[in-house]
Amino acid sequence: MMGDMAGLEGMEQPRPRSDTAAARRGIPGADRTPASAPCGPVSAALDPVGEPTLGEVRLPSRPQSAGIARRLTAAVLLKQWSLTPQLAEHAVLLVSELVGNAVRHTGARTFGLRMLRRRGWIRIEVRDPSRGLPCLMPVQEMDTSGRGLFLVDTLSDRWGVDLLPRGKTTWFEMRVSDR
């Protein structure tokens, strides 16, 4: 099954032009927008940063980018791929966790986001230049941090980390019903 993605690792996409005004448009109130109800057409959500289903979208490694990544994920899964709101909500949460790890733990200036769909599956990838591997920690009920990979492990059907010549791709896959 993994052969479908072979040959895609490490491919560089052209970087989008740096347009801080466009990037800023997506940031205010990022955490207040419900993941299950993105506003506007898909193209409006994807326009400032690119299309994560066609190639890797590069985002600045800042906490605000998690909101942009969540909105991109919701727009693609709900509007472009017509998946269920619950599946989209789970995927948005997992993207947020992977982006949070890339922003907090890698010291990178940017990270990449890519979304792939094939029969019965979606795959979402976050690429960063660090080769440090994320660690799945045991989680206690009262823990307030360290739950990211626990959630990825719980809510996805498969997940993993692919080491690249420069950095790594952390990914998860979820089963979807093709209509």
Side-chain angles (χ1 to χ4, degrees):
M1 264 224 166
M2 299 308 290
D4 293 356
M5 304 296 160
L8 297 175
E9 288 78 30
M11 290 190 56
E12 290 291 328
Q13 296 295 327
R15 291 180 67 167
R17 60 184 165 63
S18 176
D19 181 353
T20 52
R24 270 200 312 270
R25 275 201 303 265
I27 293 170
D31 295 323
R32 291 194 299 269
T33 306
S36 59
C39 304
V42 172
S43 59
L46 305 178
D47 217 22
V49 291
E51 168 60 80
T53 62
L54 298 178
E56 181 177 90
V57 170
R58 305 291 299 161
L59 293 168
S61 194
R62 293 195 306 260
Q64 299 93 324
S65 292
I68 297 168
R70 284 193 296 271
R71 282 194 299 283
L72 281 170
T73 303
V76 167
L77 271 58
L78 291 170
K79 296 191 173 188
Q80 212 168 314
W81 291 347
S82 301
L83 300 178
T84 65
Q86 176 163 24
L87 186 119
E89 182 181 332
H90 288 172
V92 164
L93 175 62
L94 300 189
V95 163
S96 194
E97 294 298 337
L98 294 187
V99 168
N101 284 348
V103 170
R104 277 191 300 276
H105 301 300
T106 67
R109 287 195 312 271
T110 63
F111 64 89
L113 175 68
R114 189 167 69 149
M115 300 177 204
L116 304 155
R117 182 167 185 185
R118 62 183 189 271
R119 182 181 294 278
W121 292 90
I122 62 164
R123 177 180 173 112
I124 300 181
E125 303 176 346
V126 174
R127 187 173 68 86
D128 66 68
S130 166
R131 288 176 59 89
L133 295 176
C135 193
L136 180 58
M137 306 291 283
V139 174
Q140 304 300 319
E141 191 177 330
M142 299 304 285
D143 289 351
T144 56
S145 67
R147 293 178 174 266
L149 287 179
F150 173 78
L151 287 171
V152 172
D153 193 55
T154 302
L155 296 177
S156 69
D157 291 291
R158 294 192 288 236
W159 72 276
V161 181
D162 297 334
L163 283 175
L164 305 170
R166 288 194 205 103
K168 68 179 173 298
T169 298
T170 308
W171 54 269
F172 66 87
E173 295 183 338
M174 300 170 101
R175 289 182 200 279
V176 298
S177 55
D178 291 311
R179 302 176 205 199

